[in-house]
Amino acid sequence: MSIDQWVALAVLATLFALEGVIPFYDQATGRWSHAARNIGLALMTGLVGALMAPLIMMSIVLAQTRDWGLLNAIEVPAPIAVVAGLLLFDLWMYVWHRANHEIPLLWRLHRVHHTDPRMDSTTAFRFHPGEIALSTLLNAAVILGLGLGLGTLILYKSLMVVVILLHHSNIRLPEAWDRRLRILVVPPSMHRVHHSQIIAETNSNYGTIFSFWDRLLGSFRLRDDLARIRFGIGYFDGPQFQTPLQLLMLPLREKPRD
């Protein structure tokens, strides 16, 4: 297992335990079966990611051995290059996430993540293998274009899993903590709005790590009554659609007529 995977496992275990002690939403009933479904899909998705991992390594090796990419074309101190790499890759993640909402074909895959009728830390890993395959292909191209180094990518992935697990989690953070986190990173309050059934809220708060992309690019949205949010997309949220096999088939289903 890689460093970011060990980080993900440790943070997931910690947050899942805390969700049983200080939950924001009362989701105790069916909590373990919900987690099992999401982790079951995540294992299949992870297999696709593992098979495509050599493509990412190839991009890194090419960038570093041939000095390809933006960060190799400009001479800056190593710490600045690392920070620039983190910011630029996170900006790409924002753009990719937004595209998954605005391009119908991509939304068919991404809606697997959004059809979870409840949200907790396991939702952070609920993605269709097809979405991961596409994102891996594009990530490889972006890594090559930026000239991202292995250390910077590992650091980004480690930060990313901590933040995405936190902002998907069903834990009750003090409002003051959430507000302070919001200055820099995406906290639970922002991402709970993103998982709302209300379309205008679903199509907001696209940030992965840093919250300021949403402010800068006009997609930042908050609401006071987080406890009243209904998760999902308004359809495909019944139990018959929530098994790993059904979630794999979900992109092929047509939206029900109103």
Side-chain angles (χ1 to χ4, degrees):
M1 287 176 61
S2 62
I3 294 173
D4 58 288
Q5 289 172 331
W6 281 113
V7 170
L9 188 61
V11 176
L12 175 62
T14 301
L15 289 175
F16 192 76
L18 288 173
E19 287 167 341
V21 179
I22 49 170
F24 187 84
Y25 301 98
D26 182 9
Q27 297 181 161
T29 303
R31 179 169 174 251
W32 287 93
S33 58
H34 171 260
R37 289 192 295 270
N38 283 349
I39 296 301
L41 179 64
L43 290 174
M44 290 184 275
T45 301
L47 179 60
V48 171
L51 291 172
M52 298 187 71
L55 183 62
I56 299 294
M57 287 305 302
M58 187 184 303
S59 293
I60 293 171
V61 170
L62 281 173
Q64 298 309 305
T65 58
R66 303 192 183 186
D67 287 333
W68 289 352
L70 176 64
L71 297 174
N72 290 318
I74 55 177
E75 293 186 7
V76 294
I80 294 177
V82 170
V83 172
L86 294 175
L87 290 172
L88 290 171
F89 197 77
D90 197 60
L91 175 59
W92 152 247
M93 293 295 286
Y94 171 94
V95 171
W96 170 243
H97 191 180
R98 190 162 184 164
N100 273 274
H101 282 252
E102 295 182 355
I103 299 174
L105 180 60
L106 295 179
W107 172 246
R108 279 181 173 265
L109 293 167
H110 188 61
R111 69 186 181 184
V112 169
H113 180 67
H114 277 271
T115 50
D116 200 340
R118 53 199 291 172
M119 192 168 79
D120 64 19
S121 52
T122 68
T123 308
F125 298 128
R126 176 187 166 119
F127 289 96
H128 193 277
E131 179 178 346
I132 297 304
L134 284 174
S135 68
T136 302
L137 285 170
L138 292 171
N139 284 349
V142 171
I143 288 168
L144 192 59
L146 292 176
L148 216 60
L150 179 59
T152 303
L153 184 63
I154 290 174
L155 178 58
Y156 181 84
K157 292 288 187 180
S158 299
L159 290 172
M160 183 188 76
V161 294
V162 172
V163 175
I164 67 170
L165 280 165
L166 176 63
H167 66 224
H168 282 93
S169 70
N170 179 34
I171 63 171
R172 183 176 294 278
L173 279 181
E175 169 59 26
W177 292 16
D178 190 284
R179 189 169 57 251
R180 291 186 186 111
L181 283 171
R182 198 185 306 152
I183 296 170
L184 183 62
V185 301
V186 179
S189 61
M190 280 182 65
H191 210 70
R192 286 166 185 159
V193 173
H194 179 71
H195 275 262
S196 164
Q197 285 187 8
I198 299 171
I199 294 176
E201 295 181 340
T202 306
N203 296 331
S204 71
N205 298 349
Y206 299 109
T208 298
I209 294 180
F210 300 114
S211 60
F212 46 73
W213 300 126
D214 284 293
R215 292 187 183 89
L216 291 171
L217 298 169
S219 52
F220 182 78
R221 191 180 186 106
L222 291 177
R223 60 183 281 183
D224 296 326
D225 56 342
L226 292 173
R228 298 181 62 186
I229 289 177
R230 294 185 62 188
F231 296 124
I233 59 174
Y235 52 96
F236 298 144
D237 57 357
Q240 70 272 29
F241 299 115
Q242 298 301 314
T243 66
L245 181 58
Q246 289 300 317
L247 291 172
L248 287 176
M249 301 298 293
L250 196 63
L252 302 177
R253 295 184 180 277
E254 297 296 331
K255 177 182 175 181
R257 295 182 179 179
D258 295 329

